[in-house]
Amino acid sequence: MSTLIARAEAHSPAVGFGERLAENQRRVFQIAYSVLGNSADAEDVAQEAFLRAYQKFDSLREAEKFRAWVNRIVFRLALNRKRGYRRRLERDTAWQSMESPAMVDGAKEAEQQVMLDRLRKEIERLPAKLRSVLLLSLVEEMDAADVGVVLGIPAGTVRSRVHTARKLLLEVMQ
Amino acid sequence: MKNACERWKDQLRETALTGARTPQFAEHLQTCANCSAELRDLEARRARLDTLLPLVAQGAEPPADFRARVLAAAEAAGKRRRVRRWQAWTLAGAAATAAIVLVVGAVLHRGTTGKIQPEGLAAAQKLAEWRAPSDSLLATPGQEILRTTPKLGESYLNVPMKAVEEE
């Protein structure tokens, strides 16, 4: 009987999930932040991604599987939320602008913040293929192979798109 | 940039990004002040880009209690799911029990109604034989003829052949 209980407990999502959460939370948060540009939304989206992972945890116990799955899902959720913003912005007239990251996160050098805002705008103007690759590559623990897994492209393509994106940014960031 | 330097435009960006330069381009840089200045400008921009780009993703950290909050939310969601699953199983069990009771009841009921009790049979016979007192007033002469069904080839009017011959 005790063996049965122990086996049932071992299969409970609660066991092992906390560990996976600790391993992945920083990267998952950064992926969301890179797309959305503010902490509050990034936190919401990262939490949503982990809750979905919790529901599917039986098939995601393996560390690598969990990592790949949660990277992909948080990126998609963040993009969806961003699209939602854009639609709302287009609908709600131009005078209502998006909350500036500076207002949310505060305490950053004003000049650097201005430059960062400009850079974000320039990244937004990049072609979607280059933008996705660049944003994911900027996350600390994501190498070309990880980015490739999320986007379904080879690591070589990731590297060449990052290079192209940087070249375009170099041209526009005076 | 002079028109003659246009051909080095892409090489300038490549060199600014990667530091690599072809021998021809290196030679050109030694003689062209414009391209050298352009390269210095692009290298400064690249340095700024290198500082700023990581901040796009790494400009913020998850809050300290993020893990605890996610775990609490996951636990709450798990509980809700367990309750919903338990409710579904209870409902399914109740439905199955009700279905079994109905089937068993129907079978038992059919078993008892299949056999007709002698008292019931006698009562039914009595009821079938019962005639209203006014029935005799409604009787017609033809009723007796119609009472029996004629055999094949016979008629309802069974007139004896003999009587016809006598006439």
Side-chain angles (χ1 to χ4, degrees), chain A residues 26 120 138 167 170 173, chain B residues 14 45 56 58 61 69:
Chain A
R26 192 154 181 270
R120 279 188 174 281
L138 295 175
K167 215 163 164 182
L170 193 67
M173 285 298 286
Chain B
E14 279 295 330
R45 271 197 241 172
V56 170
Q58 300 158 31
E61 292 286 327
R69 266 194 278 163

Side-chain angles (χ1 to χ4, degrees), chain A residues 33-167:
Chain A
Y33 185 79
S34 74
V35 175
L36 296 162
N38 76 77
S39 303
D41 283 330
E43 198 184 320
D44 268 6
V45 167
Q47 178 164 329
E48 173 68 25
F50 280 118
L51 288 181
R52 290 189 185 197
Y54 182 80
Q55 282 166 8
K56 288 180 72 95
F57 193 59
D58 270 346
S59 57
L60 298 172
R61 283 184 182 275
E62 221 177 284
E64 265 313 299
K65 228 179 197 177
F66 189 94
R67 183 186 156 98
W69 191 88
V70 86
N71 283 350
R72 201 163 44 233
I73 207 78
V74 75
F75 185 62
R76 283 193 191 155
L77 287 173
L79 285 180
N80 285 347
R81 183 169 287 216
K82 183 122 193 168
R83 276 183 209 125
Y85 276 156
R86 282 208 203 104
R87 274 199 290 274
R88 270 204 305 279
L89 268 175
E90 281 162 16
R91 199 183 52 211
D92 297 347
T93 68
W95 58 267
Q96 256 183 327
S97 66
M98 233 169 81
E99 192 179 18
S100 157
M103 287 158 73
V104 177
D105 298 323
K108 282 201 180 98
E109 277 184 45
E111 196 190 329
Q112 195 179 53
Q113 192 56 59
V114 170
M115 290 297 289
L116 195 57
D117 287 349
R118 253 199 70 205
L119 178 59
R120 279 188 174 281
K121 277 178 193 148
E122 293 301 343
I123 292 174
E124 280 303 302
R125 287 196 190 108
L126 288 175
K129 275 181 180 177
L130 299 182
R131 187 170 60 238
S132 301
V133 165
L134 181 73
L135 288 175
L136 285 169
S137 302
L138 295 175
V139 175
E140 229 174 325
E141 303 162 27
M142 295 281 279
D143 58 20
D146 288 328
V147 176
V149 168
V150 172
L151 299 173
I153 53 175
T157 310
V158 170
R159 279 188 281 269
S160 98
R161 284 186 190 174
V162 167
H163 184 73
T164 311
R166 281 168 62 87
K167 215 163 164 182

